[in-house]
Amino acid sequence: MSQDEIDIDNASLEQLRDILCNVNGKELLANRFRALFNLKCIGAESTNTEEAEKAITYIADCFQDESELLKHEVAYVLGQTHRLVAAPPLRQVLKDNNQQIMVRHEAAEALGALGDKDSLALLQDYYKNDPSLEIRQTCELAIERIKWEQSEESKTENIEKSLYTSIDPAPPMPSDVESKVEKLQRILNDQDTPLFERYRAMFRLRDLGTDEACLALASGFDDPSALFKHEIAYVFGQICNPVTVPALITVLKRETEAGMVRHEAAEALGAIGTDECTRVLESFLHDDERVVRESAIVALDMVEP
Ligand SMILES: [Fe+2]
Ligand SMILES: [Fe+2]
């Protein structure tokens, strides 16, 4: 560390904000992600409400940035804080057509993760009227998630405790409703089943986590929806089972694939982190698509010990 470099793990809230928002114009992307992570921990976990809310405000400052990748992560992180003070900036982002689709998607999803009832009317509006399928589907899921959280079933359903602490776009399917991989795969891929149910099957398969469950999830990469495919890649990044590597590489290499899907595949490969993953990621450091290049940088940073 050079003398004027700040130790991110011992930085003040203001220093973290300045790194995240690249105030000096020369912060490395990987450091900006680390600053975001530290701010998120404070925003989500601090028992000092004032400090937590300040961290959340500082995180939201980053929505002025250009990097689609960083901003979508900012939106994601805000959705994981359990604090409704994060909702107003997220609503603003969903409404802002100058923001990229992946960022607006993540903002809508985050409103669902926060269980923000006050956003229901806005989400309904974008569910019905947004021209982007990814946004409409995200709003559909967020609405269903908020309704589910308010429902009686959410209190009585037999949901197995998950290994993962993330707040997901849908809860896993109750274990007494379905635990057979074959049946879950059928629900996962059934275009006539509501998306929320299909996501519930997806998260149940994630929680089962066996090789068989992973291969069932990989069949979701043939879905027509970029949103759906990016979520499959996301759960592969959580499971970190190397059996998913071939499917992730195929998706990352598909040039016709949406950036949001390829991005998530790259990050999952970073999380799995085998030598093969590293080699493949290195070959995407100069990809034509910015969000893929930046994902390769961040993913390789995850691999580093
Ligand atoms: Fe997402
Ligand atoms: Fe992502």
Side-chain angles (χ1 to χ4, degrees):
M1 199 184 310
S2 71
Q3 266 208 318
D4 55 347
E5 224 173 287
I6 294 162
D7 174 5
I8 292 179
D9 291 327
N10 291 300
S12 70
L13 282 180
E14 284 70 25
Q15 285 172 324
L16 289 171
R17 173 198 58 198
D18 291 351
I19 296 168
L20 172 65
C21 297
N22 195 18
V23 168
N24 70 12
K26 47 187 186 193
E27 294 295 348
L28 297 174
L29 187 64
N31 281 348
R32 300 178 69 193
F33 268 87
R34 287 180 188 186
L36 174 59
F37 179 79
N38 288 2
L39 279 170
K40 181 236 162 169
C41 291
I42 299 163
E45 289 159 24
S46 174
T47 47
N48 177 338
T49 310
E50 198 186 326
E51 183 183 57
E53 293 189 352
K54 203 188 244 185
I56 286 172
T57 312
Y58 289 170
I59 292 171
D61 282 350
C62 191
F63 281 130
Q64 308 300 326
D65 202 77
E66 278 176 13
S67 167
E68 180 181 7
L69 185 74
L70 186 61
K71 284 186 294 184
H72 106 293
E73 195 68 22
V74 160
Y76 174 76
V77 155
L78 289 175
Q80 301 289 311
T81 59
H82 298 277
R83 289 186 204 267
L84 287 174
V85 66
L90 290 166
R91 288 186 214 129
Q92 255 348 90
V93 169
L94 173 59
K95 288 192 272 187
D96 182 356
N97 278 319
N98 292 319
Q99 294 282 8
Q100 297 94 336
I101 296 286
M102 191 165 94
V103 182
R104 294 181 57 228
H105 138 69
E106 213 65 51
E109 185 173 285
L111 290 167
L114 291 172
D116 181 31
K117 285 187 298 219
D118 292 345
S119 293
L120 275 172
L122 178 75
L123 290 164
Q124 289 283 5
D125 180 13
Y126 282 81
Y127 165 54
K128 286 198 206 104
N129 302 316
D130 199 89
S132 152
L133 174 67
E134 289 82 16
I135 299 293
R136 293 197 304 275
Q137 287 187 322
T138 306
C139 291
E140 177 184 349
L141 288 166
I143 292 163
E144 290 306 314
R145 193 188 176 284
I146 295 168
K147 285 193 196 154
W148 175 83
E149 206 174 69
Q150 307 293 320
S151 72
E152 270 311 300
E153 297 98 86
S154 71
K155 293 169 195 94
T156 53
E157 277 180 350
N158 207 343
I159 297 179
E160 212 163 280
K161 192 160 169 32
S162 176
L163 269 178
Y164 307 98
T165 53
S166 54
I167 310 169
D168 302 312
M173 195 161 275
S175 47
D176 49 354
V177 171
E178 199 48 77
S179 288
K180 289 208 183 64
V181 170
E182 210 186 272
K183 289 217 179 115
L184 288 165
Q185 179 175 356
R186 212 171 302 145
I187 300 167
L188 178 79
N189 292 322
D190 182 8
Q191 303 291 325
D192 295 327
T193 297
L195 197 56
F196 190 69
E197 285 305 300
R198 297 176 61 204
Y199 266 57
R200 296 199 72 175
M202 188 192 300
F203 288 103
R204 179 71 187 131
L205 283 165
R206 174 199 65 183
D207 287 355
L208 291 173
T210 57
D211 288 1
E212 192 197 4
C214 287
L215 296 173
L217 282 166
S219 68
F221 279 143
D222 293 326
D223 199 85
S225 157
L227 185 81
F228 189 85
K229 288 182 279 190
H230 107 293
E231 202 65 33
I232 298 274
Y234 174 79
V235 302
F236 281 171
Q238 289 188 302
I239 305 170
C240 287
N241 183 337
V243 78
T244 63
V245 168
L248 287 166
I249 293 176
T250 304
V251 166
L252 177 58
K253 286 187 175 166
R254 262 189 216 159
E255 278 171 15
T256 51
E257 193 56 88
M260 81 191 295
V261 183
R262 297 178 66 217
H263 132 71
E264 214 63 69
E267 292 205 351
L269 289 168
I272 297 167
T274 62
D275 290 348
E276 185 188 17
C277 296
T278 308
R279 273 197 311 279
V280 171
L281 286 168
E282 281 168 351
S283 72
F284 284 90
L285 283 170
H286 302 284
D287 195 80
D288 289 342
E289 202 157 344
R290 175 172 173 174
V291 79
V292 174
R293 288 197 300 276
E294 291 191 343
S295 300
I297 295 173
V298 173
L300 286 165
D301 188 61
M302 285 196 275
V303 178
E304 275 172 30

